[in-house]
Amino acid sequence: MNTTEARAAAERAARTSYGRLVVILAAPTGDLMLAEDALSDAFERALRTWPEHGVPANPDGWLLAVARNRQRDVWKSAAHRTRAPLPADPGDTAPLTSPLDALDPDAIGERRLELLFVCAHPAIDAAARTPLMLQVVLGLDAARIARAYGVGAAAMAKRLVRAKRRIADTRIPFAVPGRGDLAQRLPGVLEAVYGGYAVTLTGGPEEAPLRSPDSLAGEAHYLAVTLATLLPDEPEVLGLAALISLSLARSPTRRADFVPLAEQDPAAWDTDLIADGEAYLRRASATDRLGRFQLEAAVQAVHCDRRRTAVMDWQALRTLYSALVLVAPTLGAQVALAATVGRLDGPEAGLAALPDGADLFQPAWATRAHLLAAAGRGEEAAVAFDRAAVLAVDPGTRRHLNDRAAEFRDPR
C-alpha cells in the first residue's frame, strides 16, 4: 500500500470516528486534552506504519489501542504523577485486550451524543460549550471554529483549552443527563449539531455539504435525525432535523464553481430530503412552542418551495427573518434579514440594516458587497468583494467573489 492510500484511510477514520474515539478515551478520567493528544499520536503513528504494513482490518480499533497505550504511558510518567493523583489503574475501566468492545456499532450514535451532552454541562463557560462540541465531537480545528464565530483563532484556542481543563478539574461525568437536566443542556447540543453543518456551507471542498455519511454534513444530519428519533416530542429537535434536511436537499447543486442560490436549478434538488424536512417541520409546528430552529427550517422551506412555484416569496422571508432576529439575534440571522430588506426596500435600506461588529464574518462582507453593487457604489463594492474573498474558505466561492470585485474595478 502506498502513502496516498494510507493517508486517505487515516483521513476517513478521522472524519467518521474522531468524536467517538475521543469520548471512549476521555471517559475514564475526563481528561479531554490527554485523549486528543493520545489520539493525535495514534494518527501520526498510523501515517508512519500503514504505508508499510497496510491498513488494519479495523482502523478504529487499531487507533484506539495505540491511543490507550499512549495514555497509559502518560498516566505512569513521573510528571503526571506529580501533577495529579494516579488512579490504581486507569486502564482497568477500558481493557486494552478488547478494544473493539467499545466500538459496538449499535452504540455509535449514543456515544457521540453522550459527549455532546458532557460538553454542554452548565459548569462549562456558555461561550465555550458549542465551540468545544464542534472541536471534540466533530473534529473541527480552532481556526475553522474561530472563522465561523467571527473571532480570532488565538482567542478561540484559549477558550477551548479552558473548557477542557474545566471538564477535567470538576470531573464532569461522561453520561447523558437525566430528564431534569436535559432541557438545560439540549439547546447547546442542538447549536453544536447545527454548527457542524453550517461550517460546510462556507468551508472548503473537504467540507462540502454532501449527504454522504462520512462527510461532516452527513454526520450532522445523522445526529439531528438521531436526536429527533430519541426526543420525538421536542419541537426544536424536530426543527433542527427539518432545517438540516431541507438545506442538505440543495447539496446536488453545490459544486466546485459557486452558484448563487437564486441561480440554482431546483429540479436538481433532493425531493426525498425535502419531503423528510417538511414532515419534521409539520410535526414541530403542531406544538405550542416556537424556537430558532423551527424558524430557520421554515426559511429553508420557503427556499425549497421554489421547486414547486418557480418564484421566491421574499415577504415570507422577511417575516421569518424578523422573527428569527427577535428569538435568536445571531450574526447570520441579522445579515440574512439585511439582505432581504435590501431586496424589498432597496440596497441602501439593506446596508443600514447590516449589524455592527461583523468584521471577521464573511457572509456580512459578501452581503455588503452585493448591496453596494446594487446601490451603484462600484468602488466600495469592489473593496467589500475583495474582503469577502479573503475571508472565504471555499475556493469556488473565493473565485466568484474575486471575479465580482474585478467587474467593479474594471467596469469595461
Side-chain angles (χ1 to χ4, degrees):
M1 175 171 288
N2 60 39
T3 301
T4 300
E5 292 173 337
R7 180 175 294 276
E11 289 175 351
R12 282 194 300 273
R15 284 197 305 271
T16 60
S17 307
Y18 183 87
R20 64 178 180 269
L21 292 179
V22 166
V23 72
I24 293 168
L25 292 165
T29 64
D31 193 336
L32 280 173
M33 286 188 287
L34 175 57
E36 290 182 310
D37 288 344
L39 189 55
S40 176
D41 287 345
F43 275 110
E44 288 181 11
R45 185 171 170 185
L47 292 175
R48 293 196 305 270
T49 61
W50 290 1
E52 180 179 354
H53 300 289
V55 177
N58 190 305
D60 292 0
W62 188 96
L63 291 164
L64 183 61
V66 172
R68 278 180 169 162
N69 280 324
R70 174 59 179 157
Q71 280 183 312
R72 290 174 73 92
D73 291 341
V74 173
W75 283 327
K76 293 177 180 179
S77 71
H80 187 80
R81 288 198 302 270
T82 58
R83 186 171 67 248
L86 182 67
D89 185 355
D92 283 348
T93 59
L96 288 175
T97 55
S98 302
L100 301 185
D101 290 347
L103 292 173
D104 178 4
D106 293 333
I108 286 175
E110 186 171 343
R111 287 188 184 280
R112 279 175 286 189
L113 291 175
E114 284 179 2
L115 185 52
L116 286 171
F117 280 106
V118 168
C119 295
H121 195 283
I124 301 171
D125 178 24
R129 291 173 198 159
T130 297
L132 183 64
M133 288 182 259
L134 291 175
Q135 184 182 65
V136 174
V137 183
L138 297 175
L140 299 179
D141 61 34
R144 187 70 190 90
I145 298 169
R147 284 195 295 271
Y149 275 76
V151 301
M156 180 58 71
K158 290 179 181 178
R159 189 184 301 179
L160 291 165
V161 168
R162 286 195 299 268
K164 293 172 189 177
R165 286 177 178 162
R166 182 68 174 168
I167 289 176
D169 292 345
T170 58
R171 299 290 289 128
I172 294 172
F174 277 56
V176 176
R179 285 285 172 177
D181 297 323
L182 187 63
Q184 183 180 19
R185 300 195 200 183
L186 186 58
V189 172
L190 299 181
E191 181 71 30
V193 173
Y194 176 63
Y197 176 74
V199 299
T200 71
L201 302 177
T202 56
E206 71 282 357
E207 294 177 359
L210 304 176
R211 192 175 182 179
S212 169
D214 63 354
S215 70
L216 181 57
E219 172 81 349
H221 181 250
Y222 168 79
L223 290 172
V225 170
T226 300
L227 280 167
T229 301
L230 295 173
L231 301 168
D233 298 322
E234 288 289 340
E236 276 295 81
V237 172
L238 297 170
L240 177 63
L243 167 58
I244 296 181
S245 296
L246 291 166
S247 178
L248 195 57
R250 300 199 308 274
S251 65
T253 56
R254 297 179 177 117
R255 51 184 187 266
D257 293 327
F258 175 78
V259 180
L261 176 58
E263 299 175 20
Q264 293 177 13
D265 179 9
W269 295 346
D270 189 321
T271 55
D272 291 338
L273 277 176
I274 291 175
D276 289 345
E278 290 176 342
Y280 283 125
L281 187 56
R282 283 194 297 271
R283 287 168 55 192
S285 301
T287 70
D288 58 358
R289 287 176 287 164
L290 181 64
R292 170 195 173 181
F293 292 115
Q294 293 171 75
L295 287 168
E296 294 210 29
V299 166
Q300 293 300 321
V302 170
H303 286 298
C304 287
D305 199 44
R306 185 160 65 87
R307 191 178 191 279
R308 179 181 62 85
T309 64
V311 297
M312 181 65 70
D313 190 341
W314 289 101
Q315 289 292 352
L317 286 180
R318 194 217 298 260
T319 299
L320 290 168
Y321 280 129
S322 297
L324 184 58
V325 167
L326 291 175
V327 172
T330 63
L331 278 177
Q334 294 175 70
V335 169
L337 176 59
T340 306
V341 168
R343 177 75 182 217
L344 292 172
D345 299 340
E348 295 295 346
L351 288 166
L354 280 171
D356 296 326
D359 290 346
L360 297 176
F361 192 54
Q362 192 272 346
W365 281 101
T367 300
R368 180 180 296 278
H370 285 290
L371 290 171
L372 287 168
R377 296 159 62 176
E379 292 184 5
E380 294 174 84
V383 172
F385 276 123
D386 282 335
R387 180 59 177 159
V390 168
L391 293 172
V393 177
D394 174 51
T397 302
R398 191 181 306 119
R399 285 193 299 271
H400 172 78
L401 293 168
N402 282 329
D403 289 345
R404 293 301 313 276
E407 292 175 18
F408 292 97
R409 280 196 299 269
D410 185 6
R412 294 174 298 176

